[in-house]
Amino acid sequence: QVQLVESGGGLVQAGGSLRLSCAAHGRTFINSAMGWFRQAPGKEREFVAAIIWSVGSTYYADSVKGRFTISSDNAKNTVSLRMTSLKSEDTAVYYCAARYGSTWSPNWAQYDYWGQGTQVTVSS
């Protein structure tokens, strides 16, 4: 059974940093795209970043470009999201997701597997 497990969320002051991790269990995602999405209260789920696992190509939403970094560890079957210069508007539940195939998408509906989510709260 495929399972994605996020960790690393928490409370941080504005300007601080956090690192989220997503451990994939049940299969290898080497031929998949992995994405991070977030959802704030009352808002739609939005794309944050994605990585094509096999080649390491990365993609970011404009709102996080230059502040967030997505990376993968093939040996550990883990994808991470390093978040720096955090702002109050980054507060949300963050989800990792996996999509079959080696193309990415900013559309959350095109991902096949999801983690349970981890809360990130940035205090101003």
Side-chain angles (χ1 to χ4, degrees):
Q1 182 177 351
V2 176
Q3 192 176 20
L4 302 178
V5 180
E6 301 104 335
S7 61
L11 174 65
V12 64
Q13 288 188 334
S17 301
L18 278 176
R19 185 181 186 91
L20 306 182
S21 292
C22 174
H25 304 282
R27 58 159 285 184
T28 177
F29 287 94
I30 189 66
N31 294 315
S32 302
M34 301 293 290
W36 283 96
F37 292 78
R38 66 187 182 186
Q39 188 165 17
K43 295 187 177 181
E44 293 188 355
R45 190 168 299 191
E46 64 173 358
F47 169 75
V48 175
I51 186 167
I52 308 300
W53 209 315
S54 59
V55 296
S57 302
T58 57
Y59 308 88
Y60 297 94
D62 288 342
S63 59
V64 305
K65 201 171 292 183
R67 300 189 297 122
F68 290 11
T69 303
I70 188 172
S71 61
S72 63
D73 185 330
N74 292 354
K76 296 182 179 180
N77 222 26
T78 299
V79 172
S80 297
L81 184 69
R82 174 69 173 166
M83 305 184 295
T84 64
S85 301
L86 283 162
K87 306 174 181 180
S88 57
E89 51 262 45
D90 294 319
T91 295
V93 177
Y94 283 70
Y95 299 90
C96 74
R99 180 172 186 266
Y100 287 120
S102 56
T103 59
W104 74 287
S105 172
N107 184 348
W108 65 266
Q110 295 185 2
Y111 285 74
D112 303 291
Y113 299 103
W114 289 86
Q116 80 285 357
T118 186
Q119 176 70 47
V120 171
T121 303
V122 183
S123 62
S124 56

